[in-house]
Amino acid sequence: MVNGSVSGNTVVVQIDSSSPLAAVGGAAMVRSSGGAFLVARTGPDSFSALTTVCTHETCTITGFDSANYVCPCHGSKFTTTGRVVNGPANAPLRSFATVFANNVLAIS
């Protein structure tokens, strides 16, 4: 888990060398007073940020199996871009815009 801070309508996350998001392929749950997000580093300067709420029965997704997010309630799996890999969920996870500059990730 990684902590973020809120600035206006944006959640801000510092990414340093010890962060689970420091390397491409890394993923973590980001928690802030503005909510929680599933965040994955998809490229050197790109990230995906998704809701933690499963589209099946609104359980909080907490698992990651090195490639996919896994819902602990009924086993739905989602890619790091939110696409359903296997159900029972049949709708993708909601995604949020991200901007990365100077080791700071902004989620809005």
Side-chain angles (χ1 to χ4, degrees), residues 1-3 20 28-31:
M1 180 175 25
V2 174
N3 291 316
M29 179 182 286
V30 172
R31 291 185 189 248

Side-chain angles (χ1 to χ4, degrees), residues 35-103:
F37 303 89
L38 300 171
V39 177
R41 189 159 194 165
T42 55
D45 295 315
S46 60
F47 291 81
S48 68
L50 307 168
T51 180
T52 60
V53 179
C54 183
T55 56
H56 175 234
E57 289 189 355
T58 68
C59 290
T60 299
I61 298 169
T62 56
F64 185 69
D65 70 5
S66 79
N68 299 299
Y69 296 113
V70 181
C71 181
C73 294
H74 301 104
S76 292
K77 289 187 177 186
F78 302 87
T79 66
T80 55
T81 59
R83 184 178 56 79
V84 177
V85 174
N86 67 280
N90 60 15
L93 297 175
R94 179 177 170 213
S95 64
F96 298 87
T98 61
V99 176
F100 183 64
N102 300 316
N103 295 323

